[in-house]
Amino acid sequence: MENANNDKAQLTSELTELRQKVVKLQKAENERQQTAEKLKRSEENYRRLFEQNIDGIVVVVDGRIVRVNQAFCDLHGIPAEDLAGKNPLEMIHPDHRKTAEQRIKMLLRSESLPAPFLYKALRSDGSVLRVEVRSRPFTWEGKAAFQSIVRDVTERKQAEDEKRQLELQLRHSQKMEAVGTLAGGVAHDFNNLLQAVQGYAELLIIGKKENDDELKALQAIRRAAQKGSELTRQLLTFSRKVECKKQPVILNRIVNNTKSLLVRTIPKMIEIELDLESNLNTVNADPTQIELSLMNLAVNARDAMPEGGKLIIKTENVILDEAYCRTHLGVRPGDYVLLSVADNGSGIEKEILDHIFEPFFTSKEIGKGTGLGLAMIYGIAKNHKGLITCDSEPGVGTVFKLYLPRIKQKTTAPETKEAEVFLQGGRETILLVDDEEFILDFGKQLLVNSGYKVLTAADGESALQQFREGSEQIDLVILDLIMPGIGGKKCFEGLIKKDPKVKVLIASGYTFNGTIKEAVEAGASGFINKPYDLHQMLKEIRGVLDKD
């Protein structure tokens, strides 16, 4: 009986132990199933993240692609099955392959990489994308591998490039504006010096006979002064302090007229080709300034082709869109007329190209160029609310492009110039106001020799004082605007206040700019350029004095 009880107790113990083992096995199985479920969910989440990620993801094992997501396929325009087994370097632009190869070697050695890599990626259609890639190494079935996340940053980099380009253009524009202000001031002072040379030469020429030995020398002096005056005019054009006589014009007419001049000045081994749009739009432009620009560009092209070549002048209607204008400071979207001058000459180096529109910058030999031609064209383009650009490649050629805004107004017939006639002087009294003593001196002599009675004043205060004391006897005031003290503008205002009907000729080394225009609109009778041209000066004086 006792043995039976012992057997029963032992059996009970074994059953209990067995039940515990079964419970443990069931618990372990549940835990295994739960772990498998978690792993399955984790894999599904990873697969979902991998497949649905907006950035491209690629897994590379032993230098070959083994897995990609849809975003990576879309990025390159290649289906997943065609990417499998490919070398990832095949989808990187040749410019960046060497650097990418070095980074891949570092990844396969499980080395950490520096910051994200920016490179150009190739699409199946041959287009190029700008991408940013972040990579990390790991082991895939015992083999060295890495995973890369590739993000398309084309638009971002394009925006950054546009911003950087605009910043460079803004700095360049500010520099050109500062240089223009300096150039305008230098031109004004230089004009005064030329005025003395040209003026005294004019005075001496008046008293000489045709057979006088000194006449040729004096005429040479006058021509040199006039040539110097042309240089200052180019400086003033660059600084946009010139008179711009705009009118509706068709550029084709200017091109055709200029070609007849170029044929006589361009060597015969250079072929001149015109490609003119037949239905060209109208622009509001100064024909003389545009012709001058075209001549300068053609002459530059000639100098770039000493052994001969082809000069192509082209006109066409173009539209500058928002994207183009975002990268070109000061230009508004809209319809433009493009005048381009291209050559297949020596081309321009990049370091020179960045400076070609700056005044006095020239790559030509000493004595072969002033460095003002392109600066002048730059000023003309700005004056016309247009744009001048230059593209060049050394050994291939250069193309300059001048964009002018289109207008809808029709062209008008060109004005006919009046025949130049010699004008006599008169016996009226003229008050000549200028802060330069030599200008007062020869100006007085010139006017006295023409029969006028002349009073002089070296500043605005003296001029006002003389006018107040004898305004009844003063028939005309010739007034320089740039003077110390109260200046010419306030002096003019004082003259008008004293006598609203006073006749005032504004004299300036600047041509018809904003300040002079304001004075004329406020009641000035006219404007005369410095340095004074004898015939033009007498003509202007007579024209003002003869008005009722």
Side-chain angles (χ1 to χ4, degrees), residues 140-184:
W140 176 288
E141 298 178 352
K143 296 179 180 179
F146 67 88
Q147 176 179 288
S148 295
I149 297 177
V150 184
R151 174 170 295 177
D152 183 356
V153 294
T154 304
E155 290 185 3
R156 191 190 83 193
K157 295 303 294 180
Q158 184 176 349
E160 290 175 358
D161 290 345
E162 288 178 358
K163 181 183 176 184
R164 191 178 303 110
Q165 187 176 351
L166 281 175
E167 287 173 349
L168 289 172
Q169 287 185 26
L170 179 59
R171 285 199 293 270
H172 184 262
S173 177
Q174 289 171 337
K175 180 177 74 172
M176 297 288 270
E177 199 69 36
V179 173
T181 302
L182 174 64

Side-chain angles (χ1 to χ4, degrees), residues 123-369:
R123 286 180 54 82
S124 59
D125 60 4
S127 59
V128 177
L129 297 173
R130 305 279 289 280
V131 298
E132 178 183 83
V133 60
R134 298 172 185 268
S135 305
R136 66 176 183 83
F138 68 102
T139 302
W140 176 288
E141 298 178 352
K143 296 179 180 179
F146 67 88
Q147 176 179 288
S148 295
I149 297 177
V150 184
R151 174 170 295 177
D152 183 356
V153 294
T154 304
E155 290 185 3
R156 191 190 83 193
K157 295 303 294 180
Q158 184 176 349
E160 290 175 358
D161 290 345
E162 288 178 358
K163 181 183 176 184
R164 191 178 303 110
Q165 187 176 351
L166 281 175
E167 287 173 349
L168 289 172
Q169 287 185 26
L170 179 59
R171 285 199 293 270
H172 184 262
S173 177
Q174 289 171 337
K175 180 177 74 172
M176 297 288 270
E177 199 69 36
V179 173
T181 302
L182 174 64
V186 169
H188 176 264
D189 291 341
F190 190 47
N191 253 340
N192 282 340
L193 297 175
L194 289 171
Q195 178 70 84
V197 176
Q198 185 174 332
Y200 284 118
E202 292 272 11
L203 288 173
L204 292 171
I205 287 172
I206 291 173
K208 299 295 180 182
K209 296 180 181 180
E210 286 295 329
N211 58 355
D212 196 314
D213 293 337
E214 294 180 353
L215 181 60
K216 287 186 178 180
L218 290 169
Q219 289 172 336
I221 293 171
R222 181 175 61 182
R223 284 194 300 271
Q226 289 171 341
K227 194 170 183 180
S229 181
E230 283 302 312
L231 290 177
T232 61
R233 189 171 298 277
Q234 288 181 331
L235 268 177
L236 290 169
T237 302
F238 164 72
S239 60
R240 285 174 275 165
K241 293 187 170 98
V242 295
E243 181 179 7
C244 194
K245 298 178 180 177
K246 296 178 185 176
Q247 64 186 58
V249 294
I250 299 292
L251 292 187
N252 286 353
R253 298 176 186 173
I254 296 176
V255 173
N256 283 317
N257 290 338
T258 306
K259 183 186 177 183
S260 60
L261 296 174
L262 292 175
V263 169
R264 297 194 295 269
T265 57
I266 298 290
K268 290 184 179 180
M269 66 266 205
I270 295 177
E271 179 187 351
I272 301 175
E273 179 181 312
L274 301 187
D275 183 5
L276 309 182
E277 183 154 328
S278 58
N279 193 27
L280 196 66
N281 289 327
T282 304
V283 297
N284 193 33
D286 183 328
T288 302
Q289 290 190 353
I290 300 303
E291 183 176 321
L292 188 60
S293 300
L294 183 54
M295 284 294 294
N296 268 277
L297 293 175
V299 169
N300 281 347
R302 176 202 67 188
D303 294 342
M305 300 182 287
E307 304 300 323
K310 179 178 284 190
L311 170 64
I312 303 173
I313 302 173
K314 183 178 181 180
T315 60
E316 57 184 309
N317 298 321
V318 297
I319 298 175
L320 300 186
D321 57 18
E322 292 277 359
Y324 184 88
C325 295
R326 278 201 306 271
T327 58
H328 292 81
L329 198 65
V331 184
R332 294 182 179 181
D335 294 324
Y336 285 75
V337 173
L338 170 60
L339 170 63
S340 60
V341 179
D343 67 69
N344 59 352
S346 56
I348 305 172
E349 299 289 342
K350 176 65 171 63
E351 55 271 20
I352 295 177
L353 199 61
D354 293 337
H355 301 280
I356 57 171
F357 294 115
E358 297 174 10
F360 301 118
F361 181 87
T362 179
S363 59
K364 297 178 181 178
E365 298 176 20
I366 295 174
K368 294 291 182 67

Side-chain angles (χ1 to χ4, degrees), residues 399-452:
V399 55
F400 284 92
K401 295 181 178 180
L402 177 62
Y403 297 88
L404 299 176
R406 173 205 176 181
I407 62 168
K408 295 183 179 180
Q409 186 178 350
K410 294 182 178 180
T411 58
T412 55
E415 295 181 5
T416 55
K417 293 185 178 180
E418 296 180 7
E420 191 70 38
V421 295
F422 182 77
L423 297 173
Q424 296 295 328
R427 298 195 176 279
E428 292 89 347
T429 299
I430 297 175
L431 174 59
L432 182 62
V433 188
D434 202 295
D435 62 309
E436 296 288 354
E437 184 179 349
F438 54 80
I439 292 180
L440 289 179
D441 180 42
F442 86 79
K444 182 177 180 179
Q445 290 186 52
L446 187 151
L447 294 174
V448 167
N449 287 345
S450 299
Y452 295 105

